[in-house]
Amino acid sequence: MATEKPVTEQYQADAFSRRKDDLLVIHDLHTHFFTPDGVVRALDGVDLRLKKGTTLGLVGESGCGKTVLALSILRLIQDPPGRIVKGSIIFEGTDLLGLDEQEIRKIRGNKISMIFQEPMTSLNPVFTIGAQIAEVILLHQRHRASTKGQAMDMAVEMLKMVGISSPARRINDYPHQLSGGMCQRVMIAMALACRPSLMIADEPTTALDVTTQAQILCLMKDLKDEIDTSILLVTHDLGVVAQSCQEVAVMYTGNVVEYALVEDIFALPLHPYTKGLMRAIPRIGARQEGKTLHAIAGNVPTVRDMPKGCTFHNRCPEVMDICRTEYPPVFRPKADHVVRCWRYVN
Amino acid sequence: MENLLQVRGLRKSFAIRSGIFRKTTGHVQAVDGVDLDVHPNETLGLVGESGCGKTTLAKIILALERPDSGSVVFDGTDIHSARGQALEHVRRGIQVIFQDPFGSLNPRKKVASIIAEPMIIHKVGSKAQRYDRSAELLKLVGLSTDMLGRYPHEFSGGQRQRICIARAMAVNPRLLVCDEPVSALDVSIQAQVINLLVELQAELKLSYIFISHDLSVVGYISHRIAVMYRGQIVELADAQELFDNPLHPYTRCLMDAVPEPVPGKIAAAAHVRGDEDSVLFPARGCAFGSSCPYREEPCTREKPVLAEALHGHYVACHQHIPPDEQA
């Protein structure tokens, strides 16, 4: 596709040129899993940029590679079967993929921390929550707390910060004594204990009730400003994205198919998949008006039936001939709005 | 209108046991005096947070759990005193779809025998007839008949949920209890399953009890919605009316918390609900009491009962006393 190349190259050169406010720049990242059934290309050339002080939402359906991307950044992909085969992850100027195990450990949990989906199972049931928060501090921040007592005092501070009442008493509680929302607050306290520059939150509120979800999202937003961290928020809920993110990346079958500011993507989604997702959200009272819910036809393709060309073409209502044969490169119809779809070739 | 299902004064509590002798140390009131009606060809939505008793209520309606007191009358038969043929009639009339389509299909059975199982239990048709009916049902839920010979692991989540629906439809039920049927599915697939349920209802004149914690899903599919909080129905109204004019403070709190897909619009769930007071130690008076921003003196004394505040709009709150009781 000789005619399209300049556009792509221009974008990629542009995307890859380092800007001053970049915290994390991911370029052409490929993470593959080598299974007996064949190679699963969980990430297939992901480009992503996260600016300092912003929250980037990573949206997509199950199996699209959201979690693999989050784990790849922390180099937590289990090898075998998984391996990052190609690409670069530049975090604060250094390529995380070039670091050895010792060096990445200094970043993991310290500069970049992570919150997982299930707060109940992410905490160790046989240690008190205070001990678990103190462990992080003792491991990474010896200069701030050299003794266990000091670390415990800091743990109390952290619990207070995430809004847990009577924290001095609560640090002696075990995870099973806390509700789901409280556990997630403890996870956030642990993740923020070292004042990281990046916090990766993988579906942090999916297991929680809506009222608790609203509180946790609100808390994350406040703390982000308070300790000046950036957030990569992995979610499948577009409502959560609209509320808490400044930028959005939509993933489909291991690639980012659309990337834009949150206002732009909700006002005018470009990729047919993003459009479909937006219209699939049920609206209250719509049934009484006789409207059927817009569904995206078909299923998310599995490794075995991955279509040729654009991986979305067999579900796409706007499919063209070229989509069936060629995988679309990234196009940039507007400033700060990139999309992987042949419809935007010009 | 004649009711298909009539639930009156339903209560169910579970004992909490602790210590090495498993002594009963308290009770959880999972369902605490619930009255409900389901009309023919209607979807009744049931919303509430985890642990509010939605699933226990569903189990009692399905006669999988016995209530401590109260009655469930389906099509003129009290299901908990029914025996023999009458009970079988009830069980045929009420079927269920569960939340997890991965856990609710036997991995060792082929789709054909999964769908045929309810028919075998209720002794419907011959083997050949059952097979034909299975094929028919599979087509009804939008799958192709050559899938009859496959095993559940070969299907995606959305397809499995379709198989669950086909199985539930096998004995021509009149009421389908859907316990979080789309929570485990992705947004795009969720929409497909909801559309299928809507189509089936129009075609077969079914009634649904649709349980979910997702207000937008319930708001879309339901004709009427009941909001549950700590074992009680705190508000019951037509779907549109409930969203336009929520009366109970808890309903408002729930609606404010739903993140809307509108950038910049922040959920107004600012007030932090107490984590301390749990279901185990119910306070006197209104269950929502300590979290309620409008709490007044009578709320701490007396438990409010569900009463009609506006036409067809029921609420259990001291703030909304029905006109005829205002002396």
Side-chain angles (χ1 to χ4, degrees):
Chain A
M1 302 306 327
T3 46
E4 270 73 56
K5 246 181 181 162
V7 187
T8 324
E9 278 175 1
Q10 183 209 330
Y11 161 70
Q12 277 173 354
D14 198 30
F16 205 47
S17 66
R18 296 204 50 235
R19 294 191 209 151
K20 232 175 64 199
D21 57 353
D22 279 341
L23 179 72
L24 181 78
V25 182
I26 296 172
H27 178 60
D28 197 28
L29 188 67
H30 294 257
T31 302
H32 295 178
F33 289 85
F34 299 88
T35 67
D37 295 337
V39 180
V40 180
R41 300 159 140 237
L43 296 183
D44 206 9
V46 169
D47 289 301
L48 204 63
R49 169 198 295 277
L50 178 58
K51 290 198 207 88
K52 267 194 189 107
T54 55
T55 303
L56 172 70
L58 199 58
V59 200
E61 297 181 276
S62 41
C64 73
K66 298 179 304 238
T67 300
V68 174
L69 178 59
L71 293 176
S72 295
I73 295 169
L74 284 167
R75 296 243 319 256
L76 287 172
I77 298 291
Q78 198 177 8
D79 180 13
R83 207 163 64 225
I84 299 170
V85 288
K86 201 175 146 201
S88 63
I89 303 172
I90 314 286
F91 173 72
E92 291 185 333
T94 43
D95 189 350
L96 297 181
L97 299 182
L99 301 179
D100 62 30
E101 192 55 33
Q102 285 276 311
E103 290 166 319
I104 191 78
R105 276 195 176 182
K106 283 183 190 149
I107 289 180
R108 211 186 270 156
N110 188 21
K111 288 269 179 82
I112 306 177
S113 62
M114 183 144 179
I115 304 172
F116 296 92
Q117 176 170 357
E118 294 228 357
M120 294 295 203
T121 51
S122 326
L123 289 167
N124 191 333
V126 298
F127 290 101
T128 62
I129 56 169
Q132 294 187 56
I133 300 172
E135 185 191 4
V136 189
I137 300 167
L138 286 173
L139 206 60
H140 291 294
Q141 309 240 308
R142 279 276 174 184
H143 59 277
R144 282 170 64 208
S146 50
T147 67
K148 193 154 182 226
Q150 282 174 322
M152 278 300 211
D153 290 343
M154 285 173 71
V156 174
E157 280 302 304
M158 292 310 299
L159 285 182
K160 200 194 236 162
M161 196 160 101
V162 295
I164 288 181
S165 54
S166 51
R169 197 161 46 96
R170 284 286 182 183
I171 56 162
N172 297 317
D173 280 359
Y174 289 90
H176 75 266
Q177 291 170 289
L178 308 176
S179 65
M182 296 263 271
C183 278
Q184 199 59 292
R185 283 171 198 266
V186 173
M187 287 300 293
I188 293 173
M190 263 168 86
L192 295 179
C194 295
R195 305 189 170 256
S197 15
L198 174 63
M199 177 162 80
I200 301 173
D202 188 1
E203 306 259 9
T205 57
T206 309
L208 307 175
D209 284 319
V210 270
T211 45
T212 320
Q213 163 172 292
Q215 290 167 20
I216 295 289
L217 291 177
C218 192
L219 175 73
M220 280 172 59
K221 194 175 236 168
D222 291 348
L223 292 180
K224 182 185 95 120
D225 298 335
E226 198 177 318
I227 71 168
D228 192 28
T229 180
S230 308
I231 300 176
L232 180 65
L233 182 69
V234 179
T235 180
H236 67 273
D237 188 333
L238 286 165
V240 170
V241 167
Q243 268 199 17
S244 31
C245 301
Q246 282 90 51
E247 292 175 359
V248 189
V250 181
M251 281 190 82
Y252 189 73
T253 60
N255 225 320
V256 174
V257 293
E258 187 162 3
Y259 172 73
L261 294 173
V262 70
E263 294 85 7
D264 292 346
I265 214 158
F266 278 91
L268 192 68
L270 296 180
H271 199 283
Y273 176 63
T274 318
K275 290 184 203 171
L277 278 185
M278 299 273 178
R279 274 183 290 172
I281 306 171
R283 209 169 46 76
I284 290 140
R287 186 184 172 191
Q288 276 72 26
E289 293 159 26
K291 288 181 191 140
T292 51
L293 205 52
H294 175 91
I296 303 176
N299 286 298
V300 181
T302 58
V303 202
R304 271 177 290 168
D305 56 11
M306 198 60 77
K308 271 183 73 173
C310 174
T311 49
F312 188 61
H313 84 250
N314 52 358
R315 302 176 77 190
C316 182
E318 303 174 41
V319 63
M320 301 183 296
D321 282 340
I322 191 169
C323 309
R324 298 182 214 276
T325 50
E326 301 282 334
Y327 191 75
V330 271
F331 297 111
R332 180 176 233 182
K334 276 199 305 188
D336 287 325
H337 200 142
V338 295
V339 56
R340 261 185 203 272
C341 177
W342 283 114
R343 294 197 71 83
Y344 303 95
V345 62
N346 295 315
Chain B
M1 205 187 309
E2 201 190 318
N3 295 326
L4 181 65
L5 185 85
Q6 192 174 315
V7 176
R8 288 289 173 270
L10 212 58
R11 277 174 209 281
K12 174 80 190 173
S13 65
F14 294 102
I16 311 159
R17 292 169 196 281
S18 59
I20 46 168
F21 298 116
R22 317 302 298 155
K23 250 172 67 182
T24 303
T25 52
H27 286 91
V28 191
Q29 196 68 40
V31 176
D32 192 5
V34 166
D35 296 330
L36 268 185
D37 292 322
V38 181
H39 308 310
N41 202 18
E42 175 200 55
T43 304
L44 177 74
L46 197 58
V47 279
E49 295 179 31
S50 47
C52 74
K54 304 185 296 263
T55 300
T56 307
L57 179 60
K59 279 184 173 169
I60 296 173
I61 291 171
L62 288 160
L64 296 174
E65 196 87 65
R66 288 204 147 265
D68 297 340
S69 63
S71 68
V72 180
V73 176
F74 173 75
D75 202 17
T77 319
D78 184 335
I79 66 168
H80 292 286
S81 59
R83 294 282 176 277
Q85 279 209 317
L87 181 63
E88 222 156 83
H89 171 76
V90 168
R91 291 215 189 262
R92 256 182 92 159
I94 312 178
Q95 291 288 319
V96 61
I97 308 168
F98 294 104
Q99 172 171 9
D100 180 10
F102 293 84
S104 48
L105 296 174
N106 188 337
R108 288 160 187 268
K109 283 193 170 176
K110 287 182 182 165
V111 171
S113 50
I114 287 173
I115 299 178
E117 195 170 357
M119 295 188 267
I120 297 171
I121 292 167
H122 290 286
K123 305 184 186 70
V124 181
S126 66
K127 200 171 181 191
Q129 282 172 326
R130 287 198 290 260
Y131 189 86
D132 291 345
R133 174 85 176 127
S134 304
E136 203 179 289
L137 286 162
L138 216 51
K139 256 188 280 178
L140 184 73
V141 297
L143 296 174
S144 74
T145 48
D146 56 342
M147 289 171 174
L148 278 172
R150 295 209 207 155
Y151 288 95
H153 75 262
E154 296 174 69
F155 295 92
S156 67
Q159 288 173 320
R160 282 184 219 207
Q161 203 56 291
R162 285 172 193 267
I163 296 170
C164 292
I165 295 171
R167 176 177 60 181
M169 305 302 298
V171 288
N172 294 317
R174 296 176 58 196
L175 174 67
L176 212 53
V177 177
C178 312
D179 190 359
E180 305 258 13
V182 295
S183 313
L185 306 176
D186 284 314
V187 198
S188 68
I189 308 300
Q190 174 180 308
Q192 294 176 4
V193 173
I194 292 171
N195 283 342
L196 173 66
L197 287 171
V198 171
E199 280 165 30
L200 288 176
Q201 182 166 48
E203 212 171 301
L204 303 166
K205 304 280 174 252
L206 288 166
S207 296
Y208 295 139
I209 293 180
F210 195 96
I211 301 174
S212 180
H213 65 276
D214 188 333
L215 275 169
S216 51
V217 170
V218 169
Y220 175 81
I221 200 165
S222 307
H223 299 106
R224 288 189 306 146
I225 298 175
V227 182
M228 240 180 133
Y229 184 75
R230 295 201 180 164
Q232 288 178 310
I233 305 281
V234 293
E235 190 160 3
L236 175 71
D238 281 351
Q240 195 65 54
E241 162 73 10
L242 187 81
F243 282 97
D244 290 346
N245 185 22
L247 294 179
H248 200 281
Y250 175 67
T251 313
R252 270 182 250 162
C253 169
L254 209 57
M255 282 179 192
D256 287 344
V258 177
E260 273 186 73
V262 180
K265 196 167 176 182
I266 309 290
H271 82 270
V272 177
R273 303 234 330 275
D275 284 307
E276 263 78 7
D277 53 328
S278 74
V279 223
L280 309 186
F281 310 105
R284 278 180 53 190
C286 179
F288 192 55
S290 62
S291 323
C292 184
Y294 311 100
R295 180 162 54 148
E296 278 173 24
E297 197 269 325
C299 305
T300 51
R301 253 189 306 116
E302 229 175 296
K303 202 171 228 175
V305 287
L306 198 66
E308 192 165 16
L310 300 164
H311 178 68
H313 192 148
Y314 297 82
V315 63
C317 178
H318 286 302
Q319 282 214 310
H320 302 281
I321 304 158
D324 53 313
E325 281 181 29
Q326 280 171 342

